[in-house]
Amino acid sequence: MNQEQLIEIRRSLHQIPELGFQEVKTQAFLLEEIEKMGRENINITKWKTGLFVFIKGKNPKKTIAYRTDIDGLPITEETGLAFTSEHEGRMHACGHDLHMTIALGALDEISATPIDDNVLFIFQPAEEGPGGAEPMLASDTFKQWNVDQIFALHIAPELPVGTVSSRAGILFANTSELFIDFKGKGGHAAYPHLTKDMIVTASSFVTQLQQIISRKIDPLDSGVVTIGKMTAGTVQNIIAETARLEGTIRTLQPETMVIIKKELENFIKGFEIAYDCHIEVDYGAMYYQVSNDNEYVEKFAQVMEENNITFVEADPAMTGEDFGYFLKEIPGFMFWLGVDSTNGLHHSKLNPKEDAIQIGIHAVTAMIRKG
Ligand SMILES: CC(=O)N[C@@H](CCC[C@H](N)C(=O)O)C(=O)O
C-alpha cells in the first residue's frame, strides 16, 4: 500500500467511529480492505465486531500476534477537518483509526512476503470500554493459535513523528471505571430544609474524593481518581432528588486499587449518614496494567535502531489499556508511536500527523520480521 492509499484508509476510518461492540461499519470496512489485498494466505475469522486474521508461516516454529484496537469515543469532533467524523457525537479521539491503518498496512506487507513463523493480526473491539481484550483472549477462537508472543502500539501526541517509546515493566496503569448513584429527596427550591439535595451531596463528594489520593495513598505510590461526568436535576427551581457521577480510578499497583476502593466505600458510608441519602457504587470495566516483558523491549529498541527509528525510554503512564490482559498471559510489549498533535488523547481536536502511519508500519513489520 502506498502513502496515498494508507491516508485514504485512515480518513475513511476516521469518518465512521463506533463505540465498543458496535463497530459494525468498521468491521465491514476492514473486511473489504483485507479482501482487496487478494491474498490466498490470509485467513479471516470474525469475532463479535472484531477480527482475527491469520497468516500461515513458511516454516512455522511459533505464532507472533499483533493487536490493534478498533473502537471510537463518545466525543463530538471539533477538528474542522475535511474528513471529520460522520457519526454525530462519536470520534476517533484516541487514534484507533491510525492504529487500524497501521495494522492493515503491516498485514498487507507480511501477507505479500510471509515470514517463517505464523502471524496473527488481532482487530480488537471495545478498548475504550467495556473491554474486548479479556473476552477475546478467553475465546476458543483465539486459543486455537497458541500465540507465543504479542505486541501492540498506541499513538503518542506529545512525541514527534519518527520517534517510538517504551519501557520494561509497567507502561500503563490498572484502571477501574466508577459509577456512583445518589438518591435523596427532591422538592421545592425554596424549601431546602424539607429535602435531601443530591446536587449538594454529589458536589461535596467530588471535592472530598480527592482526599483519598492525597491522604490515604503512600505519596511514593501513584493513584488517580477522576470524575469525568456529573448528572443531576431537572430544572432550576427544583432540588435534585438524584445525582450520578461517572469516572475512573487509576493505579500503578493492583494493591493500591484495592485500597482506593475500600476507602471510597468508607466515604460512601459516611456520606450516607451525613447527607441522609442512599448511595450505590458500580465499578464497571476494570483493566489490568500493561506490563512489558524486559527482553522484548530490549529487542524492540535494538530493531528500531537498526531501522533508523528513534527509540526513547518511556515513563509509566496513568492511561489504561485492556491490552494488559493479553500481556498477563503472553510475553510481549506495547509501545508509543509519536504522532505530534498539539491536542492530546481524548481531546475533540486531536489531530495526529499522518506521516506517522508509515513509521508505525515500518516499526511493526520490522519487529515481526525479527521474530
Ligand atoms: C489509552 C487510553 O486512553 N485508554 C483508555 C482506557 C479506558 C478504560 C476505562 N474505560 C476507564 O475509563 O477506566 C483510558 O482512558 O486510559
Side-chain angles (χ1 to χ4, degrees), residues 182-334:
F182 296 77
K183 175 97 167 72
K185 185 169 177 239
H188 198 291
Y191 301 92
H193 57 297
L194 302 179
T195 71
K196 314 289 173 205
D197 185 342
M198 289 306 104
I199 286 189
V200 169
T201 309
S203 307
S204 173
F205 194 91
V206 170
T207 52
Q208 291 194 44
L209 188 63
Q210 295 307 331
Q211 288 174 26
I212 294 179
I213 303 300
S214 69
R215 286 296 167 267
K216 303 287 183 186
I217 301 302
D218 182 338
L220 298 181
D221 191 6
S222 286
V224 172
V225 182
T226 291
I227 299 297
K229 186 173 175 188
M230 182 171 183
T231 29
T234 46
V235 70
Q236 124 287 341
N237 60 351
I238 296 179
I239 285 176
E241 179 154 316
T242 61
R244 180 172 167 85
L245 302 178
E246 299 181 34
T248 178
I249 310 172
R250 311 291 166 102
T251 67
L252 287 186
Q253 309 295 334
E255 307 80 55
T256 316
M257 180 64 78
V258 176
I259 298 175
I260 293 179
K261 287 186 174 174
K262 192 179 133 273
E263 294 297 341
L264 181 86
E265 284 154 28
N266 285 342
F267 248 63
I268 287 175
K269 282 186 211 146
F271 263 73
E272 282 184 321
I273 295 169
Y275 291 85
D276 196 6
C277 63
H278 178 66
I279 306 175
E280 268 178 30
V281 64
D282 170 9
Y283 293 117
M286 285 166 244
Y287 292 176
Y288 190 70
Q289 63 201 21
V290 171
S291 185
N292 286 337
D293 181 279
N294 301 4
E295 272 175 39
Y296 282 109
V297 174
E298 228 171 83
K299 192 202 261 191
F300 178 63
Q302 193 186 319
V303 173
M304 292 304 98
E305 198 187 327
E306 288 162 11
N307 284 273
N308 296 318
I309 298 174
T310 308
F311 174 88
V312 294
E313 184 76 14
D315 287 327
M318 298 309 269
T319 33
E321 247 286 357
D322 63 350
F323 184 63
Y325 286 114
F326 282 110
L327 291 181
K328 202 173 169 197
E329 304 288 325
I330 305 161
F333 72 104
M334 179 163 222

Side-chain angles (χ1 to χ4, degrees), residues 94 127-129 154 172 175-177 248 250 287 319-321 346:
C94 203
E127 185 276 326
E128 299 292 352
H154 203 291
F172 287 2
T175 73
S176 171
E177 293 177 350
T248 178
R250 311 291 166 102
Y287 292 176
T319 33
E321 247 286 357
H346 295 196

Side-chain angles (χ1 to χ4, degrees), residues 46-66:
K46 281 192 197 177
W47 182 88
K48 296 186 193 277
T49 46
L51 299 174
F52 288 112
V53 185
F54 184 75
I55 301 168
K56 193 161 174 51
K58 292 181 292 181
N59 182 22
K61 293 200 173 46
K62 63 181 177 194
T63 299
I64 303 169
Y66 176 74

